Amino acid sequence: MRWGFSLVFYYLIAIFIILLDQVTKWQIVTKMYLGESIPIIEDFLYITSHRNRGAAWGILQGQMWFFYVITSIVIIAIIYYIQKEAKGKWLLGVSLAFMLGGAIGNFIDRLLRKEVVDFIHTYIFNYNFPVFNIADSALVIGVVLLMIQMLRDERETKEKSYGENGTHHS
């Protein structure tokens, strides 16, 4: 893939995630009352109108300036890595795009609403998992893809090392 096209593709992924995240949150805010829950798959998946003024699992409640600073740094770092490190590494670019979209999606909530709108509510093996949103999902997917990319890079480095030296000696 040509580099210019790749960059556009990565940013389009991020924009799609941001739009999907914000549209779904807008639907929750305008169509449901806080605390309302709609079963999708009984005892497994619900749409639940929830708000979070903290980070994952509600930690650091009300620390908005902290989130503004950290998220700004994260967004700048992700853009830097997309620009400088993703060339020729489509999986790295896609993983960073997912993380960028997720970070910006929740950042918009914190800026405009002073809280994050969450609505995806699951019970997994009878565990009441914390309510989350599309941006959170994109962040998790991005991190998983980044870990896969890192494992691929590590394997490639080992293969080059073995190829250059014959057999590996510890």
Side-chain angles (χ1 to χ4, degrees), residues 114-154:
K114 307 296 185 232
E115 61 189 5
V116 175
V117 176
D118 292 324
F119 59 92
I120 304 168
H121 191 184
T122 60
Y123 291 86
I124 300 174
F125 302 113
N126 291 327
Y127 176 70
N128 183 3
F129 201 76
V131 184
F132 58 100
N133 59 44
I134 301 294
D136 298 333
S137 300
L139 285 163
V140 169
I141 291 167
V143 168
V144 169
L145 293 175
L146 179 62
M147 290 178 1
I148 292 168
Q149 177 66 53
M150 292 168 69
L151 290 171
R152 289 174 68 185
D153 288 347
E154 183 179 335

Side-chain angles (χ1 to χ4, degrees), residues 150-160:
M150 292 168 69
L151 290 171
R152 289 174 68 185
D153 288 347
E154 183 179 335
R155 183 181 68 208
E156 186 179 299
T157 300
K158 284 181 181 178
E159 286 173 358
K160 283 182 183 177

Side-chain angles (χ1 to χ4, degrees), residues 1-13:
M1 219 179 333
R2 288 197 355 236
W3 179 233
F5 177 77
S6 297
L7 272 178
V8 170
F9 180 69
Y10 301 147
Y11 289 119
L12 285 174
I13 290 171

Side-chain angles (χ1 to χ4, degrees), residues 21-152:
D21 178 66
Q22 290 300 302
V23 166
T24 54
K25 289 173 177 175
W26 178 78
Q27 288 289 317
I28 297 303
V29 169
T30 60
K31 307 281 189 223
M32 295 178 72
Y33 60 85
L34 188 61
E36 181 179 0
S37 188
I38 301 168
I40 304 301
I41 301 172
E42 195 68 40
D43 296 325
F44 179 71
L45 178 63
Y46 297 81
I47 302 298
T48 301
S49 180
H50 179 75
R51 305 297 182 274
N52 184 357
R53 293 178 185 246
W57 291 275
I59 61 172
L60 300 171
Q61 288 288 322
Q63 303 296 317
M64 283 302 144
W65 284 107
F66 173 76
F67 292 120
Y68 296 153
V69 171
I70 295 300
T71 306
S72 297
I73 291 168
V74 166
I75 289 168
I76 291 166
I78 291 170
I79 291 170
Y80 172 83
Y81 277 102
I82 287 174
Q83 297 290 134
K84 300 294 182 186
E85 303 296 328
K87 187 172 186 176
K89 294 184 176 182
W90 69 269
L91 187 58
L92 176 60
V94 170
S95 70
L96 293 170
F98 269 78
M99 289 188 277
L100 181 63
I104 292 173
N106 282 338
F107 190 61
I108 290 169
D109 278 21
R110 288 190 175 102
L111 281 175
L112 300 181
R113 294 187 177 95
K114 307 296 185 232
E115 61 189 5
V116 175
V117 176
D118 292 324
F119 59 92
I120 304 168
H121 191 184
T122 60
Y123 291 86
I124 300 174
F125 302 113
N126 291 327
Y127 176 70
N128 183 3
F129 201 76
V131 184
F132 58 100
N133 59 44
I134 301 294
D136 298 333
S137 300
L139 285 163
V140 169
I141 291 167
V143 168
V144 169
L145 293 175
L146 179 62
M147 290 178 1
I148 292 168
Q149 177 66 53
M150 292 168 69
L151 290 171
R152 289 174 68 185

